[in-house]
Amino acid sequence: MRNTKKPADCKISGFFLLLFFTLSNNSFAQHPSPFSTRNESPFSLIYGLPLASPAKLLENNQSRWISSFNISNTINSQTSNSENLFIDIETWHVNFLYDTNLKENWMLRVQLPYIVHSGGFLDSPIDSYHQALGLPENIRPDFPHEQINIDYNLNNQNQVNINSRQNALGDISFQLAWQAHLTNRSALSYWLSIKLPTGNEDKLTGSGATDVASWASMSYRLTDTRWLYGQGGLLYMGDSDVFTDIHKNWAGFANAGIKFQLWNEIELKAQLDVHSALYDSKLDFLNQVIQLTFGGSYTINSKQKLDFAIAEDIKEGSSPDVNFNISWWIYL
């Protein structure tokens, strides 16, 4: 039988075949990398709560740098029978992470944080952002922009009072990871972290104690373009020099996310992060946290990738009002 398909039809069919193979190539089998975020509250950053971690570790003789920049902004006033908290702050949290393969199935991560607490510049844009999306503004409209104030009282005794810019090195951590399982469809790794007291507790850039955390990270491919990922673990916090009367020694943490691969270079992700209370307090801002992070990644080339994300507090008043994250991944 003679082929009656017109040249234009052939071109159209060829285009869709090319599109199909493009959307089905191996780049979609890439295991997801979570957003490099966590609860960015000044009262949380001082502890060794780990960033969300990838389930797939580096391959043999591979290493990478990750530069992650978080800007969080919050204003909150809370009171209980024995506690009073007012916080109006913008925090810049820069993480420099170096990952290297030690030997088959083992990876070492070194995490160097730098923390700045200030009045910032995002108060006005965040007001506009909340208004545009119809999000709750809490007490924001009642206070002037770009001020810094952290004041916490327990049983009428002042515990923390900061009203000027603070910046210093945070608590350095070392993390060891083991690849327990890896296929094209799923991955599982186990992590162990130790956080050292290199920060400054008076500036709220460290806790003055050593923390240890252990967790498992997993990822699972649903389809060629959709992945699930998550982690869960326990954190032991040494006896802190901050909030010594109410700080806890143990906390649990977890996250779960989904990745959609729209194109070879572009992916969208949504990530839910939770952790139990770090303090024995009735105040929401010092209690358990639920936050949602959403955004995307852009693959620049085979060696570099950029993440862009926004985190919002799902449990209102328990974490910063908003957090913006930019992370730059460089594979060596």
Side-chain angles (χ1 to χ4, degrees):
M1 181 180 295
R2 190 177 60 165
N3 186 355
T4 59
K5 188 174 287 187
K6 298 179 181 179
D9 294 331
C10 293
K11 290 180 180 179
I12 294 172
S13 300
F15 170 78
F16 283 107
L17 282 173
L18 177 62
L19 179 63
F20 173 80
F21 286 116
T22 300
L23 294 176
S24 304
N25 66 20
N26 289 333
S27 67
F28 292 105
Q30 297 290 330
H31 286 260
S33 54
F35 290 124
S36 298
T37 58
R38 45 165 290 176
N39 176 13
E40 295 289 325
S41 158
F43 304 134
S44 166
L45 285 180
I46 60 177
Y47 297 114
L49 196 67
L51 300 172
S53 310
K56 181 183 181 298
L57 305 183
L58 293 175
E59 299 174 359
N60 289 342
N61 302 315
Q62 193 177 34
S63 58
R64 70 182 166 215
W65 285 99
I66 305 171
S67 301
S68 183
F69 181 39
N70 288 277
I71 305 178
S72 61
N73 187 292
T74 192
I75 179 170
N76 213 320
S77 179
Q78 298 179 359
T79 302
S80 73
N81 291 335
S82 58
E83 300 170 277
N84 292 281
L85 169 69
F86 177 77
I87 179 169
D88 185 358
I89 195 171
E90 184 168 300
T91 297
W92 295 17
H93 181 205
V94 184
N95 267 304
F96 300 101
L97 301 103
Y98 177 69
D99 297 339
T100 184
N101 171 261
L102 295 179
K103 61 177 184 177
E104 187 175 4
N105 296 328
W106 289 92
M107 190 184 84
L108 175 68
R109 166 171 287 184
V110 181
Q111 181 174 336
L112 177 67
Y114 192 82
I115 299 172
V116 180
H117 300 304
S118 71
F121 66 94
L122 288 176
D123 284 343
S124 181
I126 289 174
D127 283 349
S128 300
Y129 166 76
H130 280 92
Q131 291 169 5
L133 296 183
L135 299 172
E137 292 190 86
N138 203 354
I139 60 173
R140 278 187 170 274
D142 301 328
F143 291 90
H145 292 166
E146 281 77 57
Q147 71 171 354
I148 175 172
N149 192 352
I150 303 178
D151 190 75
Y152 175 74
N153 289 273
L154 176 64
N155 297 321
N156 296 319
Q157 298 293 319
N158 186 261
Q159 304 292 314
V160 174
N161 183 262
I162 293 176
N163 52 28
S164 62
R165 178 187 172 97
Q166 308 292 323
N167 57 278
L169 180 71
D171 287 344
I172 297 173
S173 67
F174 297 88
Q175 300 168 14
L176 184 65
W178 173 57
Q179 190 78 70
H181 167 77
L182 178 63
T183 67
N184 288 334
R185 181 170 292 274
S186 60
L188 173 67
S189 59
Y190 295 107
W191 294 68
L192 179 66
S193 172
I194 181 169
K195 187 220 71 172
L196 304 178
T198 56
N200 188 322
E201 55 270 25
D202 293 328
K203 296 184 176 183
L204 276 184
T205 67
S207 69
T210 299
D211 299 347
V212 178
S214 179
W215 67 98
S217 297
M218 61 76 62
S219 60
Y220 182 78
R221 187 176 67 184
L222 297 173
T223 68
D224 282 348
T225 59
R226 286 180 293 172
W227 287 81
L228 293 177
Y229 64 87
Q231 72 181 36
L234 287 174
L235 167 66
Y236 171 78
M237 297 165 284
D239 292 334
S240 171
D241 293 334
V242 180
F243 295 163
T244 54
D245 293 333
I246 63 170
H247 124 81
K248 292 187 174 184
N249 288 117
W250 291 94
F253 59 90
N255 66 58
I258 186 167
K259 160 189 162 180
F260 298 92
Q261 191 85 40
L262 296 184
W263 200 260
N264 285 348
E265 298 85 6
I266 300 174
E267 63 185 46
L268 298 180
K269 288 179 286 191
Q271 180 175 309
L272 190 70
D273 292 271
V274 301
H275 69 73
S276 64
L278 306 180
Y279 300 96
D280 185 11
S281 170
K282 299 297 184 182
L283 304 181
D284 288 339
F285 201 73
L286 299 178
N287 225 295
Q288 65 266 26
V289 166
I290 306 174
Q291 69 176 30
L292 176 65
T293 304
F294 54 93
S297 298
Y298 174 71
T299 300
I300 302 172
N301 53 46
S302 61
K303 298 292 186 181
Q304 299 183 73
K305 182 181 72 169
L306 284 174
D307 283 348
F308 303 91
I310 300 174
E312 283 279 351
D313 54 337
I314 298 299
K315 183 174 180 256
E316 187 177 348
S318 64
S319 60
D321 298 332
V322 66
N323 175 63
F324 300 96
N325 171 261
I326 299 176
S327 297
W328 184 18
W329 299 61
I330 303 176
Y331 288 81
L332 306 175

